[in-house]
Structure formats: structure tokens, C-alpha cells
Amino acid sequence: MDYRKCASEILAALGGKENLASAAHCATRLRLVIADNGKVQKKTLENVEGVKGVFEAAGQLQIIIGTGTVNKVYAEFISLAGVEAASKEDVKKAAASQAPLYKRAIKTLGDIFVPIIPAIVATGLLNGLLGGLERAFPSIADSYFYGLLNIFSNAALVFLPILIAVSAAKIFGGNTYLGAVIGMIMIHPNLINAWSAGSGTETETLWSWFGLWNIQNTGYQGHVIPVIIAVLLLCTIEKKLHKIVPETIDLFVTPLVSVLVSAFLTMTVIGPVFSQLETWVLDGAKWLIAIPFGIGSFIMGGVYAPTVVAGVHHMYNAIELAMIAEDGKNTWMPIATAANVAQGAAALAVAFKTHSKKLRSMAFPASLSAFLGITEPAIFGVNVRYGKPLVAGMAGGACGAMVASMMKVYATANGVTGLFGFLITTDSFFGYLLTMLVSSAVAFALSYILFKDEAEEKNPEAAAAPVYAATIASVPETVCAADTVDFDENCVYAPLKGKVVAMKDVPDETFAAEVLGVGAAIEPEEGMVKAPADGEVSTLFDTNHAIGLTLENGMELLIHIGINTVELDGAGFTGHVAEGDKVKRGQTLITFDKAFIESKGYKTVTPVIITNPDDFSEIKQAADGSIDFLGKLIETKKG
């Protein structure tokens, strides 16, 4: 293969070096960030000799070339383009900066909320349970035990602005403790609690702009956007001051000026402006909900989730209290329930459909939390991040809210939604049940249809990858040593001990679609890779996360430990051989720290791929379930 010719044709099809923002590579592919994707000739790229596939992922254009070859093409590529070799982290940052503004904003919002979701889930679920118990057994509220648990249950929600501020400061690159100070200022006890102010507690003027605009002394409990904006301002000021303030006084001047300026602007401009926007939203909500035939409720049920994202939903307490004071019928609560359970049902559909254990482990409890009335985990942890589930939840909420309006469902109190709402909707029990069923069914069905797992989204053909006929090979647990195994040159033996995974189920579109070759994968039980047969190390990537072997029987194998683990830059991997080494079956090739790799968010499922499949007339997976070292993994037939 002419590596320079391949690199030259790739560069030309990309639109020239002027259209290249950044370039890196891993064991199998080039990872590029392009300035203008519209200039890329994808069909031409796919037809370049040596290119096995082209796809876009995470803002990167990834060109699949193959192990042992990609590094040589990459060397020629950066030479022709006149750019420096970039790290995988540099490419990821460059790709993120190329994304549209709305995508960057949504990603930032998700990045801020994901770390604090466990705190919200823990206290939110307890808060929902206690609320339901209080409705069912009013006397329990007078017990010491209940009072203590009540403190535990609402701590994260009461101090939510501080949690958000700390997380936002990390994302924006500022001092997290200064971020916490801004959060504390916004809910300072000298301010009137936002929920109390919404209930009619009298406030006083905190600041007056020339007597034309008076700012009230109201806190920002339950708010999201003003806190994030305030911390963004803080971090921007802080980082600029670090650059211009002399080091001798930086420790004193920078924190003082950063907090003083950002806090003053937050309390006198950012917060009040957002509060005014909330007032307009609420006035519009009152007008919409009064529209007959459930049309207004349909609209509000649909837009409720976005108001949660904006952080204005806590102010709906004012609407509910006004309704109860007027005639004792809270018709807003069923709308909120429809929207909440719909978002929960949308997240539940994701949990059922995804192949990602990490996403499933987040989506299931987030869904349960939403059915109990706490939607932040489902919305910010799952639905906003993937987009389509959020839209499905909005549709379900709209349909459920219309049903509630037409069935004249109402509650006799406020503060509880979801399943515990049955305790305060006894006069319209059936209508409330129908509301929940309709909103859940619509949201679940749409989310299940619209949501696609990451691999399926990027490569739909992967979902249709052939399932190879499996012949279960029973391997005794005692068979671990190479010299006790009866080897067959038509088989590939397991280089790791663990659970066998079909290639189509590997959460990477390149492997799942078998672009690099045919094989099977193993979910390892321990961090050790052994030689499956005698042969030679043809390729060992410098990060030790992937190794290529040429076996004595002519098979060419790629063993790739984990998915996207190249991004760890070798951390957690130790190579015990070098390129060109002769190896014997059972010899240790690589060891890796499985717990460390998984703690960094990477999957350790390991594809074992025959990269010269054309030399065989048939290749099929030979084991299901768990398998030991050197158990039969893949069976082949030459031809």
C-alpha cells in the first residue's frame, strides 16, 4: 500500500489542509476535526484505497484504516497537511468547539447536572415518599422521626443553587469555592425564601435603580438558569483577572473583585431580569390553561418539561395556591403530573432499549424518581442529553394534560405529583389514573421508536449485522494452561477470561458492523490478555490498549481492549511484549487495570477480530456465556 498516496487522497477529499482543524489517530482510525463538513467528499473518501469506512461521531470525522496501517498513513497525513500531531484530548476539545451553539449549551447543561444527579435522586425520592406518607397519615408529621427525615429529604433541593454553582464552576474552569459562595449568596437567609415569596410573604426593597426599578429581597431557591449565568460571569471575570493581576496580589484581588462584581450584577440584574421573565411565563400559563376543550392544558403539558429545564417550574406553586384559595380545586397539579410521568416513561423506554449498562443504570432510577414527582434526574440525566426522549415526553405530557382537562381532574392540595398524587385526587381517581396511563403510554412508545443507541444512531447497518450460528463449546474450569488444551488450527481461542459477547452487541459502530473484520468479543473478568496460539506480534499500539497478532496458521488477529480506551493514553495498560516478538500460546501479552479503566467511564468489552476474513469461507462464534482462557471463541473454515 502506498501510504503517502492514501494520505494525499484523504486530504484532498477533506477539502485540503485549510479545512483541517485537528488530527489524531488511534489503533484503527484517523480522528479528524473539520472546519467545514460541507466541503468533505464522503463518497470519494470511502473509495480511497486503504479506507475501510467513514463516519462522524462526537464532532469528529473518523476514517477507518486498520491496525498496523493507520499510524503509517497518519504520519504521511500530518506531513502533507503541515500540522502537528494532536492528542486525542486535543481532538475532543476541538470537536466540541465546532459544535453548534445550541448543542454546546445543552451539553454544558448536562455536564453541570450529571455530577449532582445522585444527590437529587437520593433526597428527591425520600422527599416524594415522605410527602405521600404525610397525605396518607397526617399524624406522622408530628413525630420527631418524621421531622428528622424531612431535613434529610429536602436538603439537596433547598440548597440546589449551591450544588449547581459548584458543578458549574468546575465546568467553566473557575474556583469551585468561589462558585459555592455565589450559590450561597443567592439563597442567603437574609433574603425571603423564593417559595415563601411565591406564597405571598411580604418582601422589602433590596436595591433600587434610581427609583425606577426596585429589586426585592427574594432568594433564588429552586432556580437553575440564573445560578449558571451568575457562575459563568464569575468564572469569566476570575480567569481574566488571573491574567492581568500581578501574582503578588492575585490571591487577594482576584477573589474579592470576582465575587463582588458577579454577586452585585447577579442580585441587581441577572436574578431580577429572570424573575420578570418568570412572571411573564406565569401570566401566559394562566391565560393558556383557561382556554376551553383542553387546548390550553395540551399546550402547557407539552411545554412543562422545558420550563423545568429553565428552572421556572417551582413558581407554579403560586398558581396552585391561588386555585385552591379560589374554589379548592387545583387543576394545575394533573397537568404537572402528566408532564412528569411522561418524562419518566420516556427515560424508561431508553432504559429498555439501550445496550449501555451505564445509561441503563441511570435511566431506571431516574424514571422511578419522575413517577414520584422528581423529574430533574430523568430530564437532565437522560432526556435532554439525547434530545428525542425529551420531545417524546413533551408529547406524552401534552396528551395526558388534555385528558386531565377534559375529565375535569383536580387535586385538593399541592406539592405532590405522580403516584402519590392519588392521595390528593380522590374525587377524580379514575380521571387521574387515565391521565397517567395516556401520558406514559404516548411518551414510552414515541421514545422507544425515536431513541437510537449510540452505535445504531451512527451506523444503522450495525443493527442488521448477521448473527452467527453459535455452537457451545464446553470448556472445563480447570482448563487454563496452554499445554492442557487440544488445539485446532481452525479455531481462535479466548485470550481473556470472561463473558462472550456477539460482535453485533459491541457498543462501537466500527466493531459492531465488522468493518475491521469478523469475530467475537469478551467482557473480561480480570485484566489479562494471553496469546491464543503461537505466532508473532505484528502490531502493538503505544498505549498498549490494542495488539495485532499473526498466528502460525495464517490468521491475523486484532485484540482491542475496551471501547475508545485509546483516550486514556496508556493509563491502566501494561505491555509485556514488543512488536516483532515471537509468542507462545498462553503467554501473557498485556495486563490492564479493569477497575481503573471502568472508573474513568470506559467499557472494557474486548473485540477479538480476524482481520483477514477473506481467507475463510465461514467464520462463526463458538461459545456463549462465560469462557475461560483458551476456551474456543471463534470457529473458522478455510476456503
Side-chain angles (χ1 to χ4, degrees):
M1 176 179 176
D2 188 334
Y3 304 120
R4 192 167 187 83
K5 180 181 180 220
C6 177
S8 176
E9 291 179 0
I10 289 174
L11 186 61
L14 294 176
K17 60 184 180 181
E18 297 80 10
N19 199 34
L20 182 67
S22 184
H25 78 104
C26 62
T28 59
R29 66 198 80 172
L30 297 178
R31 293 170 178 255
L32 313 175
V33 178
I34 307 303
D36 184 357
N37 286 327
K39 294 181 179 179
V40 176
Q41 303 171 43
K42 193 171 181 180
K43 290 294 183 184
T44 303
L45 270 179
E46 292 172 344
N47 291 324
V48 172
E49 182 182 359
V51 173
K52 299 180 180 179
V54 180
F55 66 95
E56 293 182 45
Q60 301 174 24
L61 181 69
Q62 300 191 13
I63 303 175
I64 305 164
I65 294 177
T67 182
T69 306
V70 65
N71 54 321
K72 298 179 177 67
V73 172
Y74 177 74
E76 298 291 348
F77 182 81
I78 60 174
S79 173
L80 290 168
V83 298
E84 294 184 1
S87 69
K88 271 69 66 178
E89 191 61 31
D90 290 336
V91 170
K92 286 172 67 177
K93 290 180 180 178
S97 67
Q98 295 290 108
L101 179 61
Y102 78 92
K103 284 190 176 181
R104 280 181 278 159
I106 290 175
K107 182 180 183 301
T108 299
L109 202 60
D111 290 343
I112 290 171
F113 265 87
V114 166
I116 64 176
I117 283 176
I120 297 174
V121 168
T123 59
L125 287 176
L126 184 55
N127 189 49
L129 290 169
L130 287 179
L133 288 174
E134 185 181 3
R135 300 296 179 188
F137 309 103
S139 61
I140 198 175
D142 298 326
S143 68
Y144 295 124
F145 183 67
Y146 179 89
L148 190 61
L149 290 183
N150 191 49
I151 294 174
F152 303 162
S153 69
N154 61 26
L157 297 178
V158 168
F159 298 103
L160 183 61
I162 298 177
L163 294 177
I164 294 172
V166 170
S167 185
K170 289 182 179 179
I171 297 301
F172 295 138
N175 186 300
T176 54
Y177 299 103
L178 294 183
V181 169
I182 292 298
M184 294 173 188
I185 289 172
M186 297 182 74
I187 57 171
H188 196 281
N190 285 354
L191 300 172
I192 301 298
N193 186 292
W195 291 301
S196 299
S199 302
T201 300
E202 186 176 349
T203 61
E204 299 176 355
T205 298
L206 177 69
W207 181 265
S208 178
W209 286 108
F210 311 108
L212 301 176
W213 186 23
N214 295 327
I215 311 302
Q216 300 303 299
N217 62 335
T218 304
Y220 293 90
Q221 287 82 2
H223 290 298
V224 173
I225 302 302
V227 182
I228 294 175
I229 295 174
V231 174
L232 174 60
L233 176 63
L234 168 79
C235 295
T236 302
I237 295 172
E238 181 193 1
K239 287 187 285 188
K240 288 189 178 297
L241 288 177
H242 278 314
K243 294 179 180 179
I244 62 176
V245 174
E247 290 185 7
T248 53
I249 59 174
D250 181 63
L251 178 63
F252 308 102
V253 172
T254 298
L256 172 63
V257 176
S258 300
V259 171
L260 182 62
V261 174
S262 57
F264 178 78
L265 291 175
T266 295
M267 299 306 293
T268 61
V269 179
I270 296 173
V273 167
F274 188 80
S275 295
Q276 185 59 53
L277 291 175
E278 285 180 330
T279 300
W280 292 338
V281 169
L282 291 173
D283 287 343
K286 291 177 182 178
W287 175 79
L288 281 171
I289 204 172
I291 298 176
F293 307 113
I295 297 175
S297 296
F298 179 89
I299 296 172
M300 289 309 302
V303 302
Y304 186 91
T307 67
V308 173
V309 175
V312 303
H313 60 297
H314 291 296
M315 296 302 294
Y316 293 145
N317 287 324
I319 294 178
E320 296 184 78
L321 290 170
M323 289 178 174
I324 294 171
E326 183 177 355
D327 59 6
K329 296 182 178 181
N330 177 4
T331 55
W332 178 259
M333 177 270 193
I335 295 176
T337 285
N340 288 347
V341 300
Q343 291 298 324
L348 185 63
V350 172
F352 273 105
K353 193 172 184 182
T354 184
H355 296 293
S356 166
K357 292 181 180 178
K358 183 177 180 180
L359 177 55
R360 188 182 299 117
S361 67
M362 177 181 290
F364 267 124
S367 174
L368 174 60
S369 178
F371 276 95
L372 294 176
I374 309 299
T375 56
E376 282 83 358
I379 290 178
F380 291 106
V382 180
N383 298 350
V384 166
R385 294 176 69 190
Y386 296 96
K388 292 176 182 178
L390 176 69
V391 175
M394 292 169 62
C399 294
M402 174 176 273
V403 169
S405 178
M406 297 180 70
M407 296 286 292
K408 302 188 183 304
V409 181
Y410 67 90
T412 55
N414 72 302
V416 178
T417 61
L419 293 174
F420 286 115
F422 283 108
L423 300 174
I424 57 174
T425 55
T426 53
D427 294 338
S428 48
F429 182 91
F430 177 74
Y432 189 70
L433 175 61
L434 189 61
T435 296
M436 293 187 65
L437 290 176
V438 169
S439 56
S440 299
V442 172
F444 185 93
L446 288 177
S447 181
Y448 196 88
I449 293 170
L450 295 175
F451 171 75
K452 292 185 178 180
D453 238 352
E454 189 173 341
E456 186 181 352
E457 182 76 43
K458 294 167 186 171
N459 191 353
E461 292 80 6
V467 180
Y468 295 99
T471 57
I472 301 176
S474 177
V475 181
E477 293 184 3
T478 56
V479 178
C480 295
D483 56 4
T484 64
V485 177
D486 182 16
F487 277 85
D488 179 349
E489 69 172 10
N490 295 318
C491 289
V492 175
Y493 293 84
L496 304 96
K497 178 180 181 181
K499 181 181 179 181
V500 179
V501 178
M503 197 65 93
K504 69 181 181 65
D505 295 327
V506 174
D508 181 280
E509 65 281 352
T510 300
F511 296 125
E514 300 183 332
V515 173
L516 297 172
V518 180
I522 300 174
E523 186 69 61
E525 293 180 7
E526 50 194 55
M528 184 180 296
V529 177
K530 295 183 178 181
D534 295 352
E536 180 179 332
V537 179
S538 55
T539 303
L540 180 63
F541 203 62
D542 56 2
T543 56
N544 293 315
H545 77 288
I547 187 170
L549 301 173
T550 300
L551 305 183
E552 288 186 350
N553 62 7
M555 288 184 186
E556 297 175 6
L557 291 185
L558 169 65
I559 304 171
H560 193 287
I561 306 168
I563 304 302
N564 289 325
T565 46
V566 64
E567 296 171 358
L568 290 171
D569 288 325
F573 296 91
T574 303
H576 298 277
V577 292
E579 285 189 14
D581 283 0
K582 300 291 185 179
V583 296
K584 294 293 185 180
R585 65 176 182 257
Q587 179 178 339
T588 300
L589 305 177
I590 299 172
T591 53
F592 56 96
D593 188 335
K594 183 173 182 291
F596 168 78
I597 295 168
E598 291 176 344
S599 73
K600 295 298 182 181
Y602 294 91
K603 300 180 186 302
T604 54
V605 60
T606 300
V608 180
I609 304 167
I610 299 174
T611 58
N612 58 332
D614 292 342
D615 294 341
F616 305 91
S617 61
E618 184 180 359
I619 301 174
K620 62 182 180 180
Q621 184 175 305
D624 288 337
S626 297
I627 195 168
D628 209 337
F629 284 119
L630 305 180
K632 288 186 178 180
L633 179 65
I634 305 168
E635 291 182 344
T636 69
K637 182 183 294 184
K638 290 186 177 180

